[in-house]
Amino acid sequence: MNNYFIILAAGKGKRFGSKIPKQHTLYKNKPLFLHSVDTAIKSKLFKKIILVLDKVNAFKKNKNVDVIKGCNERYLSSKKALQYIKNKKVNNVFIHDAARPNFTINLLKNLKKNLYKNKAVVPYINTQSSTKYKHTNKVINIKRERVLLTQTPQCFDFKTLYNLSKKNKTLITDEATLFLNNNKKIKFIKGEESNIKITKKTDLNNSPTKTFYGIGFDIHRLVKNKKLYLGGVKVPFHSGLKAHSDGDVILHCIVDALLGALRKKDIGFFYPSNKNMFKNIRSQKMLAPVILLLKNNNFSINNLDINLICEKPKVSKLRNKIINSLANLMQINKNIINLKGKTVEKLGLIGKENAIACEAIVSISKYE
Ligand code: ZN
């Protein structure tokens, strides 16, 4: 069975009221339309995903996905996508609005199962509100259990849908409408309450989050004839930090803070200093896998606050460089990073410029 998945993400989203088209705004850390793409790929149910976008180059190439440029109206974009796949021996086609990012693989499987005996399967939920219907001057009560709020993805026998779509000249808001307008049978199945449609900006903030904090500390001795690295930046100085790696206290500290927030032990567990493979390693190579771990677990960084504890070099002169470097390495906005310099009144090892220490605290959030 050749199943295709069409994602409609070319709309202007007039009700959304933003300069950036709705499908490109960030929702749970990524552009809205990407949620649908990722779920469809993950399901492994589809031979190909057809992504209909306003700007074709807004999506990085992927072997599972063909991108085509959409039209001004949703029904025209849908028609164009169906035409695009018409010679590809398609059996079934799923059509989905990118504005619904939360559908599950379970729903996809359920739709597919029901399509064996039907030509159209459409998910719906009931309304919780008392419902009235206004007809000319009269308002009548409707039994709310008789009201079906239909969702996407909707799935269809390709040929039947293609023929209906080809003939259609009227503006429709979903493909179920095509079937109803032509007196064709639809199998309605239970949809998902969480499969909401993002319509207004405020809909973006409705997802529950969990926040965690992590703390990091590190100190290294300064030694002659070594380069000094702080936050990934090479800093001209009389000495460098002695360590198994390049001794970048700021990056080590951040790795530990992130691992703390993730509840994944510490830097020594990930990069044991008795293993030669980590000898003289640049510390950004220790940070990168932790950033990936965050992303793969749906975490985003809220803010990062750092104390660099040393007599010299002067933090004020390095601040912008280090913050830019960290923003780049961690793939975050530099506005959420703060770097403070702290001297120790010339006391002890640090005060005598024999060591540099660092502490950091980070906050991360996960979307449910
Ligand atoms: Zn260290």
Side-chain angles (χ1 to χ4, degrees), residues 219-360:
I219 183 163
H220 285 283
R221 195 180 280 275
L222 281 161
V223 287
K224 296 278 177 206
N225 301 319
K226 209 175 170 203
K227 289 173 191 153
L228 176 64
Y229 291 100
L230 293 172
V233 177
K234 196 169 126 192
V235 179
F237 201 52
H238 56 68
S239 308
L241 292 168
K242 188 182 174 205
H244 192 64
S245 65
D246 65 4
D248 194 323
V249 276
I250 295 184
L251 293 188
H252 295 178
C253 201
I254 291 171
V255 168
D256 250 356
L258 290 171
L259 289 173
L262 283 164
R263 290 143 292 139
K264 297 271 185 204
K265 302 200 173 81
D266 58 29
I267 192 168
F269 180 80
F270 273 73
Y271 306 104
S273 55
N274 56 6
K275 291 258 166 73
N276 263 342
M277 61 191 287
F278 302 124
K279 199 166 165 48
N280 295 325
I281 190 178
R282 285 299 306 276
S283 298
Q284 35 271 71
K285 287 199 175 144
M286 301 159 92
L287 177 64
V290 180
I291 297 295
L292 196 66
L293 193 64
L294 272 176
K295 285 207 161 165
N296 289 344
N297 286 289
N298 267 341
F299 277 105
S300 69
I301 297 169
N302 301 316
N303 79 307
L304 169 66
D305 188 26
I306 306 158
N307 285 340
L308 186 66
I309 306 161
C310 58
E311 219 59 49
K312 273 181 191 158
K314 279 268 164 285
V315 169
S316 57
K317 293 202 173 118
L318 299 167
R319 184 175 283 123
N320 286 343
K321 252 192 180 171
I322 291 178
I323 287 179
N324 282 333
S325 161
L326 293 177
N328 182 33
L329 293 173
M330 300 173 74
Q331 300 153 42
I332 55 176
N333 193 316
K334 62 180 179 183
N335 298 333
I336 64 172
I337 307 173
N338 190 59
L339 173 63
K340 309 197 286 295
K342 190 84 198 151
T343 60
V344 290
E345 308 263 324
K346 302 208 161 25
L347 291 167
L349 268 183
I350 295 174
K352 294 186 175 58
E353 290 181 36
N354 287 323
I356 294 180
C358 183
E359 54 190 3

Side-chain angles (χ1 to χ4, degrees), residues 7-259:
I7 299 169
L8 301 173
K12 293 199 174 58
K14 283 174 201 139
R15 284 172 290 178
F16 194 63
S18 160
K19 273 185 193 155
I20 305 168
K22 179 172 70 181
Q23 60 275 29
H24 299 287
T25 52
L26 288 188
Y27 176 70
K28 298 181 184 178
N29 292 338
K30 57 184 178 190
L32 187 63
F33 76 89
L34 263 189
H35 291 267
S36 301
V37 176
D38 289 349
T39 305
I41 292 175
K42 225 175 169 181
S43 76
K44 298 199 167 94
L45 291 172
F46 302 105
K47 181 148 192 245
K48 196 69 116 182
I49 292 150
I50 312 299
L51 176 61
V52 188
L53 267 179
D54 50 337
K55 290 186 208 107
V56 175
N57 58 7
F59 180 75
K60 251 202 289 176
K61 276 207 168 98
N62 181 309
K63 65 175 170 36
N64 298 304
V65 185
D66 281 2
V67 185
I68 63 172
K69 192 172 161 45
C71 309
N72 283 336
E73 298 292 347
R74 182 198 179 281
Y75 83 101
L76 293 173
S77 290
S78 159
K79 192 184 253 195
K80 189 174 174 186
L82 291 169
Q83 264 157 14
Y84 176 80
I85 58 172
K86 80 164 193 264
N87 295 324
K88 298 187 192 284
K89 299 196 176 105
V90 185
N91 299 106
N92 304 320
V93 63
F94 288 56
I95 301 202
H96 178 62
D97 293 319
R100 292 185 187 271
N102 295 332
F103 67 97
T104 65
I105 293 174
N106 236 356
L107 180 62
L108 293 176
K109 285 181 177 164
N110 210 0
L111 286 161
K112 186 177 166 240
K113 192 175 79 189
N114 278 281
L115 201 59
Y116 288 130
K117 289 186 179 164
N118 299 281
K119 301 264 187 231
V121 188
V122 171
Y124 75 95
I125 54 167
N126 290 114
T127 175
Q128 305 302 321
S129 308
S130 299
T131 308
K132 321 276 183 286
Y133 180 75
K134 191 175 174 192
H135 183 64
T136 59
N137 283 333
K138 225 177 151 189
V139 177
I140 54 168
N141 271 313
I142 294 182
K143 282 189 178 162
R144 64 180 167 201
E145 54 277 14
R146 294 211 174 169
V147 175
L148 310 185
L149 305 176
T150 54
Q151 306 182 325
T152 68
Q154 304 179 349
C155 74
F156 307 92
D157 168 66
F158 174 75
K159 268 187 203 137
T160 316
L161 178 66
Y162 177 74
N163 289 330
L164 293 179
S165 163
K166 202 166 69 173
K167 277 189 292 179
N168 177 50
K169 301 258 178 326
T170 56
L171 203 143
I172 50 162
T173 55
D174 68 353
E175 284 62 36
T177 308
L178 265 183
F179 271 66
L180 294 177
N181 287 351
N182 289 279
N183 292 319
K184 299 241 182 231
K185 194 185 151 233
I186 294 174
K187 166 82 174 172
F188 288 98
I189 65 165
K190 266 276 175 216
E192 296 172 323
E193 295 286 342
S194 57
N195 184 14
I196 53 162
K197 188 169 185 180
I198 306 289
T199 311
K200 308 176 296 303
K201 262 192 196 159
T202 47
D203 296 335
L204 294 172
N205 305 325
N206 284 346
S207 49
T209 57
K210 269 189 185 163
T211 299
F212 298 87
Y213 303 92
I215 188 168
F217 175 80
D218 196 26
I219 183 163
H220 285 283
R221 195 180 280 275
L222 281 161
V223 287
K224 296 278 177 206
N225 301 319
K226 209 175 170 203
K227 289 173 191 153
L228 176 64
Y229 291 100
L230 293 172
V233 177
K234 196 169 126 192
V235 179
F237 201 52
H238 56 68
S239 308
L241 292 168
K242 188 182 174 205
H244 192 64
S245 65
D246 65 4
D248 194 323
V249 276
I250 295 184
L251 293 188
H252 295 178
C253 201
I254 291 171
V255 168
D256 250 356
L258 290 171
L259 289 173

